[in-house]
């Protein structure tokens, strides 16, 4: 976690995590202005046969992100990395998210982005089957459910954070 925070400070992003039981919120602020630039929310929950699972519910970036010198994706990566590290510290082995289906173009770009980060497609949640109904209740919509091994994500991303420190 210290590598992530040190690297984010070098990019003028101040990260903070708040927890309430299994729920968490990671907030990223512009270190110069103190304005929020991104937020991630989720929950650490038990899942049958999988142990604890990190459920990434929301990652949002604000319009203030565009005013920063660094890329929008960089801010999202740092906010997401703190959430993933929190899951690792809580004993989670798997991170799950739903790439929401808004439109064909936007959805395909979102799925490609999460794949580059290290997530894998599990299934399409469309609401057409009984199993999809359970996923829709958990995730609150339709889209592509994606999973990732938390340890593999941290190893993959550590190169990014260590590179930006030196």
């Amino acid at each position: 976690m210290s590598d992530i925070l040190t690297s984010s400070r070098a990019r003028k992003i101040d990260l903070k995590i708040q927890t309430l039981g299994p729920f968490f919120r990671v907030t990223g602020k512009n270190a110069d202005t103190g304005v929020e630039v991104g937020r991630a929310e989720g929950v650490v929950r038990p899942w049958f046969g999988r142990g604890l699972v990190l459920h990434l519910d929301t990652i949002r970036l604000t319009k203030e992100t565009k005013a920063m010198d660094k890329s929008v994706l960089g801010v999202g990566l740092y906010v997401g990395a703190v959430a993933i590290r929190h899951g690792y510290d809580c004993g989670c082995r798997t991170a799950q998210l739903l790439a929401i289906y808004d439109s064909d173009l936007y959805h395909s770009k979102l799925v490609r982005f999460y794949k580059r980060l290290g997530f894998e497609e599990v299934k399409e949640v469309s609401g057409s089957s009984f199993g999809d109904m359970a996923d829709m209740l958990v995730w609150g919509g339709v889209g592509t459910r994606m999973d990732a091994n938390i340890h593999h994500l941290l190893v993959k991303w550590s190169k990014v954070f260590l590179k930006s420190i030196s």
Side-chain angles (χ1 to χ4, degrees):
M1 183 74 89
S2 64
D3 293 341
I4 298 169
L5 296 176
T6 303
S7 178
S8 70
R9 282 189 210 106
R11 290 180 169 245
K12 300 197 185 301
I13 304 169
D14 184 28
L15 297 170
K16 179 177 147 187
I17 185 163
Q18 299 168 312
T19 60
L20 178 63
F23 301 97
F24 68 88
R25 174 184 287 165
V26 178
T27 307
K29 294 184 177 183
N30 184 327
D32 292 336
T33 64
V35 175
E36 183 177 306
V37 292
R39 176 188 327 175
E41 297 172 344
V43 64
V44 174
R45 61 181 165 80
W47 198 250
F48 304 109
R50 295 191 125 185
L52 292 175
V53 173
L54 178 69
H55 175 110
L56 292 169
D57 188 50
T58 309
I59 296 180
R60 294 179 192 234
L61 302 177
T62 65
K63 292 179 182 178
E64 300 297 325
T65 308
K66 294 178 184 175
M68 295 183 70
D69 293 336
K70 305 302 176 187
S71 75
V72 172
L73 299 180
V75 173
L77 179 66
Y78 280 98
V79 170
V82 171
I84 295 293
R85 182 56 200 228
H86 171 68
Y88 179 80
D89 291 343
C90 290
C92 298
R93 288 183 266 151
T94 304
Q96 296 180 340
L97 58 81
L98 182 74
I100 297 293
Y101 181 83
D102 288 338
S103 67
D104 288 333
L105 177 65
Y106 181 70
H107 180 70
S108 66
K109 287 182 178 184
L110 193 58
V111 169
R112 276 192 314 233
F113 171 70
Y114 286 132
K115 280 183 176 180
R116 277 196 314 253
L117 291 180
F119 284 84
E120 298 173 357
E121 291 181 53
V122 175
K123 68 178 208 171
E124 292 293 324
V125 177
S126 62
S128 61
S129 71
F130 186 70
D132 282 357
M133 295 308 229
D135 279 328
M136 288 175 66
L137 285 173
V138 169
W139 293 101
V142 296
T144 304
R145 204 185 99 220
M146 304 184 84
D147 288 1
N149 180 303
I150 288 181
H151 178 73
H152 291 138
L153 289 178
L154 290 174
V155 168
K156 182 176 182 174
W157 295 353
S158 68
K159 298 170 191 165
V160 174
F161 302 125
L162 293 175
K163 193 183 308 179
S164 62
I165 292 173
S166 51

